[in-house]
Amino acid sequence: MTAHTPDQPDHHDATAADRTVLLVTHTGRPEAVEVATAVAKRLMASEIGVRLLEDEAPDLPIAGSAATVVPADGDAAGGCELALVIGGDGTILRAAELTRDTTTPLLGINLGHVGFLAEAEWDDLDSTVEAIIEGTYYVEERQTLDVRVLGDGVETSHGWALNEASVEKAARQRMLEVLVEIDGRPLSRWGCDGVVFATPTGSTAYAFSAGGPVVWPEVEALLLVPISAHALFARPMVASPDSMLAVEVIAQSEVSGVLWCDGRRAVDLPTGARVEVRRGARPVRLARLHEAPFTDRLVAKFDLPVSGWRGGSAARRPGSSGRGSLGSGGRSGA
């Protein structure tokens, strides 16, 4: 994780005349449309340009205003100071596809459920917009995954993921037979529903549901989590960030598989296919408003019982450096 303090390049000059924000909205939700409209008007009133995606613009009543409409492709966020995402973590993952090839960070306002990737809740809207206008946020980088699919030793597809890449069975009625490998050495053969390869950010997403560990976002690691494996040794594993993790769909398997990247992009895996996962060469950048500990985010998002914590009184004493309040925090992903 790379945090930038106000005297570093990622602290933004609130007086810049050419500031532009890309707005990414879950337009299928009326409350998201309402929030996006209010935010866009507030930003434009502060002389900050707003870009809308052309597939969302017809659903937003600000489309006919001074906002700019752009195609929903890899150039949408080019030159933008920030991509402001209004929705849930699924909307943030969609926005990450648009910003990953740029240096534009994402800032999510959560209108979903848990919303681990989002930085703010919708009831924090005023202070969030004010922070954008004033440029009082910092940026951290989140590790990604680079994923290759090979058939007969030849690359047939490649992709990336922020949360996880999962290899799953294509037919519900049978198990997928796979051989798992780490750093060029075979680890085990499993009959299973699938295998999840996750980043620390994705440890609270699909990997968490499959029984994997929660990993703090600043930890550099790769996670491997089997899904319902019929095997004596089928534990979640945490590997070096420099490791290469691989899974092969056994040629004799009775079912084929499918590779999902962040649950959004799918590649069919015939029997005999091989998937290789490494640390991504390019991170995703997230804008943060508060430097709240990740522990506080876990407590807030999972509503964990901490009422008996005796450190609370110490944290509230004058001069104490402890933190006595929970961060507002923000599917999945730390």
Side-chain angles (χ1 to χ4, degrees), residues 32-291:
V33 171
E34 180 181 349
V35 169
T37 302
V39 167
K41 290 179 178 178
R42 176 90 177 275
L43 292 175
M44 288 188 290
S46 300
E47 298 185 349
I48 297 176
V50 173
R51 288 186 194 172
L52 306 178
L53 300 175
E54 62 181 6
D55 57 345
E56 297 177 358
D59 297 315
L60 297 170
I62 53 174
S65 67
T68 302
V69 178
V70 297
D73 57 26
D75 296 325
C80 288
E81 172 186 321
L82 189 71
L84 182 61
V85 187
I86 300 173
D89 278 351
T91 311
I92 293 179
L93 290 172
R94 176 164 62 90
E97 297 173 359
L98 302 175
T99 63
R100 181 172 175 261
D101 290 337
T102 72
T103 59
T104 304
L106 300 168
L107 193 156
I109 297 176
N110 181 41
L111 298 182
H113 298 289
V114 178
F116 254 105
L117 287 172
E119 175 63 6
E121 303 298 324
W122 74 308
D123 52 1
D124 300 325
L125 186 60
D126 287 342
S127 59
T128 301
V129 175
E130 191 63 29
I132 295 171
I133 293 171
E134 297 297 325
T136 53
Y137 58 87
Y138 72 103
V139 176
E140 63 183 31
E141 295 182 344
R142 292 297 184 90
Q143 177 185 320
T144 59
L145 302 176
D146 283 342
V147 187
R148 289 205 313 157
V149 179
L150 299 96
D152 296 324
V154 177
E155 181 178 305
T156 59
S157 179
H158 67 273
W160 71 280
L162 171 58
N163 275 348
E164 76 280 314
S166 60
V167 173
E168 304 175 35
K169 61 183 183 181
R172 183 177 181 182
Q173 67 273 21
R174 294 184 182 275
M175 290 188 299
L176 186 68
E177 293 287 338
V178 300
L179 180 63
V180 176
E181 171 191 306
I182 298 180
D183 294 328
R185 303 303 303 162
L187 178 70
S188 187
R189 178 172 173 167
W190 295 331
C192 57
D193 286 350
V195 180
V196 178
F197 303 98
T199 63
T201 297
S203 70
T204 49
Y206 193 1
F208 178 83
S209 300
V214 174
V215 180
W216 265 235
E218 61 267 28
V219 174
E220 295 186 350
L222 299 175
L223 281 66
L224 189 160
V225 183
I227 307 172
S228 302
H230 290 242
L232 201 57
F233 180 85
R235 298 288 185 177
M237 281 162 274
V238 180
S240 162
D242 298 320
S243 288
M244 191 273 283
L245 313 181
V247 60
E248 295 185 4
V249 180
I250 300 297
Q252 294 77 26
S253 179
E254 296 183 358
V255 299
S256 58
V258 59
L259 166 70
W260 285 96
C261 291
D262 285 335
R264 295 184 49 81
R265 305 173 295 278
V267 177
D268 290 333
L269 300 174
T271 56
R274 174 182 173 87
V275 176
E276 295 181 349
V277 178
R278 294 177 173 84
R279 173 166 53 178
R282 181 172 295 162
V284 166
R285 311 179 82 224
L286 299 181
R288 293 301 192 195
L289 306 177
H290 315 288
E291 296 190 65

Side-chain angles (χ1 to χ4, degrees), residues 1-8 10-11 107 118-120 131 135-142 216-218 286-298 321-330:
M1 177 178 71
T2 302
H4 299 275
T5 53
D7 59 347
Q8 291 179 303
D10 280 301
H11 179 77
L107 193 156
E119 175 63 6
T136 53
Y137 58 87
Y138 72 103
V139 176
E140 63 183 31
E141 295 182 344
R142 292 297 184 90
W216 265 235
E218 61 267 28
L286 299 181
R288 293 301 192 195
L289 306 177
H290 315 288
E291 296 190 65
F294 180 65
T295 307
D296 289 358
R297 189 178 293 264
L298 283 177
S321 61
R323 298 175 186 262
S325 61
L326 298 180
S328 57

